[in-house]
Amino acid sequence: MRSFLITIIILVATSISEARQEPTHLVHGLFDNSDQTHVFYGSLDLDIPQFNIFNSLSINDVGDPSKGKYPVTPFTYDPNNDVAYMAAPNNQNRTILSVINATSGALLSNFSSIPNTIVSLQYDIFQKQLFAHTETDSENVTQVVEIDTASGNVKQILGAIRGAKPTHISSYCPICRKYFLIVLQDQDFVYLAVNTSDGGGISWEAVMNFTPVSMRFDYKTFTMYTAYINHTDDISSLVGIINRTLGGISKVVGTISDDPSLVVTSLSAYDVAENIYYASDVLSWPYSAGVSYVNVNTSQGKWIPLARDRYNSHAWFVKQFVH
Ligand SMILES: *[C@@H]1O[C@H](CO)[C@@H](O)[C@H](O)[C@H]1NC(C)=O
Ligand SMILES: *[C@@H]1O[C@H](CO)[C@@H](O)[C@H](O)[C@H]1NC(C)=O
Ligand SMILES: *[C@@H]1O[C@H](CO)[C@@H](O)[C@H](O)[C@H]1NC(C)=O
Ligand SMILES: *[C@@H]1O[C@H](CO)[C@@H](O)[C@H](O)[C@H]1NC(C)=O
Ligand SMILES: *[C@@H]1O[C@H](CO)[C@@H](O)[C@H](O)[C@H]1NC(C)=O
Ligand SMILES: *[C@@H]1O[C@H](CO)[C@@H](O)[C@H](O)[C@H]1NC(C)=O
Ligand SMILES: *[C@@H]1O[C@H](CO)[C@@H](O)[C@H](O)[C@H]1NC(C)=O
Ligand SMILES: *[C@@H]1O[C@H](CO)[C@@H](O)[C@H](O)[C@H]1NC(C)=O
């Protein structure tokens, strides 16, 4: 009897620990709803699915993500200090760079010292530096800069990109110390890398032969994943690996949708521990916004529809490596 009970206890304990080992599908980020004066910081648990709002921030203090010029709010996470950086325009169109406690969502500081629009933000988790892709006063000239996190001022300019329109698409390699971004030159998507070490420098890597929607660099495997739309036959939304030499996709690692009415959109997040790519999408009929995730190793994935009356997402990240 006793050994029977012990066996039961062991079985229950094992099943609990196995249940805990199931990867959870949790993204953190910025959300809003019909309240036009606030933006919310919280998480989205896709296994339920459910939004958990940790704090609301006044758009007077942090700017209004829904007025941003680009489809994704510039946002990046520093796991060393467990803080997040976001940029959004205020009512006077001034760019506000805010520092948020990534646990509580409390506003820690806000700056308005960057004179131009911020296109994207990237944090170097190893060198502990904040970088931004910013517009300048001249059309089709943008810059990658380092930002002093104490003052919100530009510390150094790492590269000026001329003759191209910026896009929100960017990613970062903290090992090779490069800010990767995609710009538009005429109708072409061009892939660039900007050194964030040794005083900077830009390399124009390749003209892409596909339509990227987002990209995420896995610095553990040195792989650039992208969510993209394949217009060839019927429209399909896929996740693939970018090969810069090829200027294209060297391998398709997952399908978000092969139904033309369900199309991938700009928001994304990547879980470097679980190898999962998250991407937002929309179903045109019946209208629904959702999230797809794809395990880039196994190609397995899932589509999660989200109720349209809840929250809109403006930025996502996977909160990991908190020190
Ligand atoms: C930063 O937020 C404070 C309130 O926390 C607000 O009074 C101030 O105007 C904001 N600063 C900027 C630059 O928007
Ligand atoms: C802010 O910029 C948008 C477009 O970028 C423009 O439509 C709007 O008039 C501007 N608002 C102010 C107060 O300058
Ligand atoms: C963030 O908030 C948490 C919970 O309130 C707190 O324990 C932590 O010290 C805060 N961190 C910073 C950097 O303010
Ligand atoms: C900026 O780039 C776009 C797209 O390549 C082009 O249509 C436009 O003419 C350019 N503007 C200037 C001022 O060069
Ligand atoms: C970027 O940095 C690497 C390593 O320091 C260097 O070899 C390369 O020439 C740099 N590229 C540019 C475009 O400056
Ligand atoms: C795009 O779709 C076509 C037709 O299904 C397929 O042959 C091609 O390999 C796809 N290309 C990419 C880059 O996904
Ligand atoms: C990338 O493309 C080039 C040119 O087609 C090819 O030689 C190379 O093997 C490819 N690399 C990978 C990792 O697929
Ligand atoms: C996923 O694939 C990469 C590259 O092939 C490999 O390094 C990594 O260990 C794999 N991860 C898992 C969880 O299987």
Side-chain angles (χ1 to χ4, degrees):
M1 183 61 191
R2 198 170 161 182
S3 71
F4 175 71
L5 269 182
I6 289 171
T7 311
I8 296 275
I9 288 166
I10 288 171
L11 280 176
V12 169
T14 323
S15 71
I16 289 171
S17 76
E18 269 170 6
R20 288 221 180 100
Q21 273 163 15
E22 273 291 296
T24 53
H25 300 99
L26 186 72
V27 293
H28 282 68
L30 283 180
F31 311 101
D32 71 6
N33 62 8
S34 52
D35 175 351
Q36 287 178 6
T37 58
H38 290 89
V39 55
F40 305 105
Y41 174 82
S43 67
L44 168 55
D45 184 340
L46 293 162
D47 293 329
I48 301 180
Q50 181 176 291
F51 290 94
N52 293 302
I53 300 302
F54 305 154
N55 193 28
S56 66
L57 297 155
S58 166
I59 63 164
N60 293 326
D61 300 342
V62 302
D64 187 352
S66 67
K67 293 212 172 70
K69 197 168 162 186
Y70 296 93
V72 177
T73 301
F75 192 96
T76 191
Y77 175 59
D78 164 10
N80 304 290
N81 296 305
D82 191 32
V83 299
Y85 295 90
M86 65 170 277
N90 70 3
N91 291 329
Q92 288 78 46
N93 276 350
R94 184 97 199 161
T95 297
I96 308 293
L97 174 69
S98 306
V99 190
I100 296 164
N101 180 320
T103 293
S104 64
L107 177 61
L108 300 175
S109 37
N110 54 359
F111 308 105
S112 57
S113 30
I114 305 288
N116 300 101
T117 299
I118 293 179
V119 185
S120 58
L121 287 169
Q122 295 291 344
Y123 192 81
D124 185 319
I125 60 173
F126 297 146
Q127 274 71 226
K128 306 185 170 73
Q129 290 170 296
L130 177 67
F131 300 103
H133 181 202
T134 67
E135 293 187 356
T136 65
D137 292 334
S138 321
E139 196 185 323
N140 297 347
V141 181
T142 60
Q143 290 177 333
V144 170
V145 300
E146 180 184 357
I147 296 176
D148 182 334
T149 55
S151 68
N153 291 317
V154 172
K155 214 168 165 179
Q156 58 169 328
I157 297 173
L158 298 157
I161 301 152
R162 294 170 202 283
K165 276 203 165 319
T167 78
H168 70 279
I169 305 171
S170 75
S171 196
Y172 192 80
C173 172
I175 293 171
C176 34
R177 300 176 72 177
K178 284 183 199 297
Y179 197 125
F180 297 111
L181 43 107
I182 301 255
V183 296
L184 257 175
Q185 230 178 7
D186 302 319
Q187 303 303 315
D188 293 326
F189 289 100
V190 182
Y191 184 105
L192 305 184
V194 179
N195 277 351
T196 60
S197 62
D198 308 322
I202 304 172
S203 48
W204 292 71
E205 302 275 342
V207 174
M208 300 283 113
N209 65 11
F210 65 99
T211 308
V213 175
S214 62
M215 68 182 183
R216 294 281 170 172
F217 190 74
D218 184 330
Y219 63 85
K220 290 193 168 168
T221 61
F222 265 68
T223 310
M224 183 66 88
Y225 294 102
T226 178
Y228 67 103
I229 299 174
N230 186 341
H231 294 282
T232 313
D233 298 335
D234 254 345
I235 292 174
S236 60
S237 299
L238 305 163
V239 177
I241 295 174
I242 297 181
N243 177 329
R244 283 179 270 172
T245 318
L246 202 65
I249 302 296
S250 58
K251 189 180 175 197
V252 180
V253 294
T255 303
I256 291 172
S257 160
D258 44 25
D259 175 354
S261 62
L262 178 67
V263 175
V264 66
T265 55
S266 316
L267 274 174
S268 67
Y270 183 69
D271 185 334
V272 72
E274 301 288 344
N275 310 93
I276 295 172
Y277 199 106
Y278 293 90
S280 59
D281 42 40
V282 289
L283 182 66
S284 49
W285 182 259
Y287 177 81
S288 176
V291 185
S292 293
Y293 57 80
V294 171
N295 181 314
V296 298
N297 278 31
T298 63
S299 297
Q300 279 172 346
K302 202 166 176 181
W303 179 60
I304 315 285
L306 297 174
R308 63 183 298 195
D309 56 345
R310 297 299 305 275
Y311 297 96
N312 305 306
S313 301
H314 288 288
W316 288 336
F317 71 103
V318 176
K319 196 172 176 210
Q320 52 198 172
F321 313 129
V322 187
H323 286 199

